[in-house]
Amino acid sequence: MALGSRQGCRWCGRAALGQPRRRRVPERAQPPGCSARPYSEGGGAAEAAGGAELLEVCWRRRFLRGGAGPLPWSAYLSGRHPGFGPLGAALRANLAAQWWDSALPVREQVFPVDAALHGPAGAPLDAQGLRLLHPETLREALQGCGQNPGGPALEEVLGAAGVLRESLLPGVLAQYVSCLELVNRRLPCGLAQIGVCFHSVPESEHSVPGNDQHNKNCTRIGERTTSLLAWFSSPRTAGQWLDYWLRQRLQWWRKFAVGPSNFSSSDFQDEEGRRGFKLHYSFPWGTETIETLKNLGDTELLQMYPGERSKLLGRDGRKNVIPHVLSVNGNLDRGVLAYLFDSLQLAENPLTAKKNSQRKVLKLHPCLAPLKVALDVGKGPTTELRQVCQGLFNELTENGISVWPGYLETVHMSLEHLYTKYDEMSIPFMVLISDGTLENGVVQLRSRDTTMKEMMHISRLKDFLTKYVTSAKNV
């Protein structure tokens, strides 16, 4: 089973600083009988019910992990959860790949970087952050303190502990000087990274219902996968660049959405008067921030390199200036949740005549869908049909198309049950191999988005699916 998606980056092409061509991102059309964002139609109880329906589907189809059942949405939002399931992890990997492929190539001179998950030992004791400490070391230090809980033994141990990163920014800024030399000190330029960051979560805010084995005064560790683009530009053009990246990022988030209008932006100023924007997604319970853009000025750079102003100077035309840092910081975990909510649609259920029973379909964008096609067998000699499926599986995966091997399933399911299963897994296509395939090479191809079925020769499948995914990227 191929769930992965490549993560890499591409050197960026030239684009003008001026106003980019603005395109209206249309709402994706829905077939008859489908309802987009069903949880937001009635408000109140209807929204809560819709969120519960999606939570159950995402847990059952392994987009999300939990325990005996799914955790509340607040746990996944806060980062205090066991992680995503196989399909959720693949969705996040696809989102990260699109971030590299679509967000970065619009500019030249953007370089990928990497940094450690924790800072070096010796950070000041008054520094903020979660410290990495072995429990046995802490236990020995506390025993050595005796009647003095804050004694020198504990101070020494805490001072030697590394600090888990809460942001990618310090690690990226630490590589600014070396990367500036790569571009011959020419501005603007950028550094980019995707990685895991950690943060404190009060137990009282996001405790799991029914679990009384916790201290509400404790602080737990949450984590999130974040993306960061640090863009270095001259102070003269920093405001223009901030507006440029706002347009680019909002358009990027909306590109993959069924309902683009649910992604919005708002401006803000921090305590120091620095300007920025927040990009939001409208969940049933309200808006949540998924990305923050901010003009940090030169403060962080000067703090990172004290007394080394000359190393920070970049060329802006004929002038040498210390650049302003524009931070574009996204939360990919919340992005995954946003697209799951965005993709949920309800359709008529052919398996039951009950009025309130509807089929749930997750219509993720083809570029984000964890799996692109499912292979199953119909009537005919099982051994021969599975051999055909295995050969097709190998051909598709070798060409970068992720496949679900439904033909390995030993429990028989009706076609309607299979359609329901794969629609909930957000698989755009299902291919049915039957005895007719052995005779004339023809397979049945069923579309998730239209529910239409067509007959296609097996030799055309690879090219058809490759062109489908490629065209989806260019929309």
Side-chain angles (χ1 to χ4, degrees):
M1 176 171 55
L3 288 179
S5 176
R6 71 175 180 89
Q7 290 191 46
C9 76
R10 188 180 300 166
W11 300 106
C12 308
R14 179 177 297 273
L17 173 59
Q19 186 85 4
R21 181 180 299 176
R22 305 191 68 174
R23 295 182 300 171
R24 179 179 177 272
V25 181
E27 306 266 343
R28 299 223 295 272
Q30 314 302 332
C34 286
S35 171
R37 286 179 62 84
Y39 48 83
S40 63
E41 290 177 351
E47 292 186 357
E53 284 182 342
L54 177 63
L55 187 62
E56 190 274 334
V57 170
C58 290
W59 174 76
R60 179 159 44 85
R61 296 306 179 194
R62 300 302 181 257
F63 282 93
L64 304 175
R65 289 180 60 196
L71 301 177
W73 284 116
S74 60
Y76 298 104
L77 283 168
S78 69
R80 269 210 61 207
H81 58 86
F84 291 114
L87 294 188
L91 170 56
R92 183 176 60 191
N94 290 347
L95 185 60
Q98 291 301 313
W99 187 84
W100 285 113
D101 288 347
S102 300
L104 298 186
V106 295
R107 300 304 317 167
E108 62 182 2
Q109 295 180 302
V110 176
F111 302 96
V113 294
D114 197 10
L117 288 170
H118 58 85
L125 292 180
D126 58 351
Q128 298 295 319
L130 301 164
R131 294 183 180 262
L132 196 61
L133 193 63
H134 195 282
E136 188 61 31
T137 304
L138 178 61
R139 191 177 297 111
E140 293 176 358
L142 291 174
Q143 291 174 352
C145 291
Q147 300 297 321
N148 185 8
L154 182 59
E155 296 281 332
E156 181 181 353
V157 167
L158 291 177
V163 180
L164 290 174
R165 68 183 182 194
E166 296 188 353
S167 169
L168 298 177
L169 186 62
V172 168
L173 294 183
Q175 303 187 56
Y176 164 72
V177 171
S178 60
C179 290
L180 187 63
E181 297 174 357
L182 289 176
V183 296
N184 197 23
R185 314 191 76 83
R186 185 174 62 253
L187 299 175
C189 62
L191 299 176
Q193 183 182 0
I194 289 179
V196 176
C197 293
F198 302 89
H199 57 279
S200 301
V201 181
E203 180 73 34
S204 57
E205 289 186 14
H206 299 291
S207 57
V208 179
N211 181 13
D212 298 327
Q213 304 298 320
H214 61 263
N215 184 345
K216 292 187 176 181
N217 295 321
C218 287
T219 297
R220 306 294 181 178
I221 297 179
E223 62 179 69
R224 62 190 181 278
T225 301
T226 62
S227 60
L228 174 67
L229 171 63
W231 186 251
F232 306 95
S233 72
S234 70
R236 177 178 56 86
T237 59
Q240 299 174 52
W241 279 116
L242 185 62
D243 293 335
Y244 170 84
W245 285 116
L246 170 66
R247 294 191 297 270
Q248 289 291 107
R249 298 305 302 148
L250 185 58
Q251 179 180 329
W252 183 83
W253 283 104
R254 289 175 170 177
K255 171 182 176 180
F256 305 106
V258 176
S261 59
N262 294 309
F263 291 90
S264 60
S265 65
S266 64
D267 60 337
F268 71 93
Q269 281 190 339
D270 64 10
E271 304 81 14
E272 301 176 17
R274 298 183 295 189
R275 177 170 168 247
F277 297 94
K278 291 184 178 182
L279 303 186
H280 312 277
Y281 181 77
S282 177
F283 289 93
W285 53 82
T287 59
E288 299 282 354
T289 300
I290 56 175
E291 193 162 40
T292 302
L293 299 84
K294 190 175 181 180
N295 183 355
L296 301 176
D298 58 9
T299 305
E300 275 72 9
L301 270 181
L302 292 174
Q303 291 175 350
M304 179 66 66
Y305 299 91
E308 299 179 288
R309 294 178 63 94
S310 60
K311 291 184 178 181
L312 305 180
L313 294 174
R315 291 191 295 111
D316 175 32
R318 297 182 178 181
K319 294 182 179 180
N320 290 326
V321 297
I322 295 179
H324 279 196
V325 181
L326 306 184
S327 169
V328 183
N329 189 19
N331 188 328
L332 296 186
D333 289 346
R334 285 193 179 181
V336 166
L337 301 181
Y339 283 122
L340 286 173
F341 269 94
D342 174 79
S343 69
L344 176 64
Q345 296 182 19
L346 301 181
E348 295 178 0
N349 191 346
L351 298 176
T352 178
K354 294 181 179 179
K355 291 183 178 180
N356 296 326
S357 179
Q358 292 178 300
R359 184 167 56 88
K360 304 171 186 68
V361 185
L362 296 185
K363 292 195 174 182
L364 289 169
H365 190 279
C367 293
L368 301 183
L371 298 150
K372 306 303 188 262
V373 61
L375 300 182
D376 260 281
V377 294
K379 294 181 179 180
T382 303
T383 302
E384 289 82 351
L385 294 180
R386 286 188 175 180
Q387 289 176 350
V388 174
C389 288
Q390 186 64 57
L392 185 57
F393 178 93
N394 293 336
E395 180 185 20
L396 295 177
T397 53
E398 288 171 0
N399 285 271
I401 299 172
S402 51
V403 184
W404 177 263
Y407 58 89
L408 297 179
E409 182 62 60
T410 57
V411 178
H412 176 73
M413 298 178 67
S414 69
L415 284 179
E416 289 298 335
H417 279 98
L418 284 176
Y419 298 155
T420 299
K421 173 183 176 180
Y422 294 147
D423 286 348
E424 291 180 351
M425 294 172 68
S426 195
I427 302 178
F429 293 102
M430 171 187 166
V431 174
L432 187 67
I433 311 293
S434 64
D435 52 3
T437 308
L438 301 178
E439 296 175 4
N440 53 28
V442 174
V443 301
Q444 177 183 284
L445 183 70
R446 189 252 185 190
S447 168
R448 174 202 68 188
D449 294 340
T450 65
T451 70
M452 299 292 291
K453 308 177 191 69
E454 63 175 301
M455 308 308 290
M456 179 180 296
H457 197 273
I458 193 170
S459 62
R460 292 182 52 211
L461 269 176
K462 176 179 70 69
D463 290 340
F464 170 81
L465 294 172
T466 301
K467 291 179 181 178
Y468 176 81
V469 175
T470 301
S471 62
K473 290 181 180 180
N474 298 327
V475 171

